Amino acid sequence: MSVLDDNISKLDGFLARFRETGIQNRIAGQDVAGSQGVFQTLSPVDTSVICDVAHGAAADIDKAANAAHDAFAAWRDLPAAERRRIIIRIAEGIEARAEEIALCECWDTGQAYKFMSKAALRGAENFRYFADQVVQARDGQHLKSPTLMNITTRVPIGPVGVITPWNTPFMLSTWKIAPALAAGCTVVHKPAEASPLTARLLVEIAEAAGLPPGVLNTVNGFGEGAGKALCEHPKIKAIAFVGESGTGSKIVKQGADTLKRNHLELGGKNPVIVFDDADLDRALDAAIFMIYSINGERCTSSSRLLVQDTIRDAFEAKLVERVNAIKVGHPLDPTTEVGPLVSQDHFDKVTRYFDIATQEGATIAAGGETVGDAGYFVRPTLFTQAHNKMRIAQEEIFGPVLTSIPFSTEAEALEMANDTAYGLTGYLWTNDLTRALRFTDTLEAGMIWVNSENVRHLPTPFGGVKASGIGRDGGDWSFDFYMEQKHIGFATGQHKITKLGAL
Ligand code: NAD
């Protein structure tokens, strides 16, 4: 049996239960049907129905928010060491079911197994990393003044909402839920409607690890129903959101009446800037990896290549050769590098840019076509002869599509790099140290890598500027979001108190 056949057969076993019962919402440790009936989740591989999913809306969110509210005090007050033990057991549960998570994720989203097998384990790492900080998370500072002993302490903010997208949904959910639980918050999770399978697995794993009922609740549904209601719910104190920039703006509006704290991780149109003094072989590998891995459906993708005109022809020629050789195929085949796009809507959006590129006068140097008759497959695509004002250079396509633009001077490269609404990541390739220092200082991006692809290190801050988001995750930044700083001042003597109404 080939590895692909073996994976398909294993997946079939994992999906049997979903086909039988569908995916219910999980509220206060109970399966709960959706108040709006069900919707279906489809596989982008062949557009077949995977299963029914509970369709939740405001009433379901209300139940879940109340459950999270009721579970909060006990979870907050649990000794840190016990909370830590449970979170580590969640990591172990993820590791034990990593194959099931990866196969379900691939089938639900179209992501290739090559990348998703690691994403499941990254999810476990997220839990382990934040578990290790549970004990110190509440520690504060001692800020003595002449008359007071001032201390600060951090307390969890309360029940929080987590709203996640469909690209690498499992990993992204853990990236939000792990620090929230470690901080002592309870959670209502609204996964993306296009990818509900692994959110269900996560809540099961968490409960099996001993997470008390109501600490993590999952409500499926659509953005305008369940998502909006979560943002508006008065018992939810903060929303951690990952998704499009336009949706991020709605999240802020919807939460205004209840004064929500929001953390927004949004879109990107990230530049990879290649100077002629760089290690061009490594730059080529990294540029290709950052746009064509994960189907190009990654917020940190290097979707704009700014290449120095002195090396442009040679660099683009090598690029074309490599892009044409990328293996598109069944996501469960471990040799597949690009799988199908997540949905019909997204397939339509990405393929529309093939026409837009031509209309704008760019050249489709590689790809620009769909693959096969079933499923949402496209060829990895490269646009050349482009300039930075074109829509293909300004809009987030969110697929395996790269736009190459030449520059001649450092000043021109910097101007083009910053000439975008977004500011999530930037990738700079140069062996000129002084230039790297200068360039990174003025490049408008929340995260920059020099002579490297995106290599995540969990203690470092993750987040964007401009339309790419507000706030940071990672390290202690995550706790800053899920916790409130509290100041307490103790008088150390009889300092003078100004008397009013007294002679
Ligand atoms: P999306 O904004 O359409 O949906 C994301 C989530 O928001 C889904 O769960 C959806 O149901 C929900 N939602 C939609 N409308 C809502 C509303 N009015 N109120 C509340 N919730 C609502 O995004 P998507 O298409 O699922 O994901 C792709 C986008 O996510 C891309 O723009 C990508 O760049 C971005 N993304 C960003 C990061 C990051 O860290 N910056 C990471 C991954 C993805």
Side-chain angles (χ1 to χ4, degrees), residues 231-265:
C231 299
E232 290 174 346
H233 203 285
K235 287 188 176 155
I236 296 293
K237 300 301 170 201
I239 296 285
F241 172 76
V242 186
E244 286 185 5
S245 301
T247 316
S249 148
K250 285 186 196 161
I251 300 285
V252 175
K253 287 185 196 130
Q254 291 163 179
D257 285 346
T258 50
L259 294 175
K260 284 282 179 302
R261 177 184 291 184
N262 294 302
H263 183 176
L264 308 175
E265 283 183 13

Side-chain angles (χ1 to χ4, degrees), residues 338-411:
V338 169
L341 300 174
V342 69
S343 63
Q344 179 76 53
D345 277 357
H346 193 55
F347 175 80
D348 292 345
K349 173 183 164 180
V350 172
T351 52
R352 216 174 295 131
Y353 282 96
F354 301 162
D355 299 330
I356 293 171
T358 320
Q359 286 155 16
E360 288 187 311
T363 299
I364 299 179
E369 28 184 62
T370 60
V371 179
D373 298 327
Y376 306 127
F377 294 87
V378 298
R379 279 288 329 154
T381 296
L382 172 68
F383 300 140
T384 57
Q385 305 295 335
H387 61 73
N388 203 52
K389 297 288 180 204
M390 290 179 174
R391 289 180 61 190
I392 55 170
Q394 291 289 328
E395 297 174 12
E396 186 186 43
I397 301 174
F398 215 56
V401 181
L402 175 62
T403 302
S404 175
I405 303 164
F407 70 85
S408 62
T409 63
E410 181 185 322

Side-chain angles (χ1 to χ4, degrees), residues 9 20 56 58 82 130 137 143 154 159 187 241 265 268 283 287 332 353 374 379 382 389 393 422 461 473 479:
S9 143
E20 205 169 296
E82 180 53 24
F130 287 109
L143 304 161
R154 276 198 305 202
V187 175
F241 172 76
E265 283 183 13
L332 298 189
Y353 282 96
R379 279 288 329 154
L382 172 68
K389 297 288 180 204
Y422 298 103
D473 279 315
F479 289 126

Side-chain angles (χ1 to χ4, degrees), residues 163-168 172 175 190-193 221-224 226-229 231 241-248 250-251 254 264-268 297-300 396 398 424 462-464 468:
I163 302 178
T164 46
W166 45 258
N167 67 315
T168 64
L172 285 171
W175 182 232
K190 208 299 280 173
E193 49 274 32
F222 293 82
E224 60 276 15
K228 179 167 182 284
C231 299
F241 172 76
V242 186
E244 286 185 5
S245 301
T247 316
K250 285 186 196 161
I251 300 285
Q254 291 163 179
L264 308 175
E265 283 183 13
L266 310 174
E297 296 166 328
R298 69 192 292 174
C299 54
T300 55
E396 186 186 43
F398 215 56
L424 191 57
F462 185 101
S468 291

Side-chain angles (χ1 to χ4, degrees), residues 288 318-328 335 337 366 379-380:
I288 293 172
K318 284 190 190 157
L319 203 48
V320 170
E321 200 179 309
R322 289 275 294 277
V323 174
N324 282 331
I326 290 176
K327 186 171 174 209
V328 178
T335 64
E337 294 172 315
R379 279 288 329 154

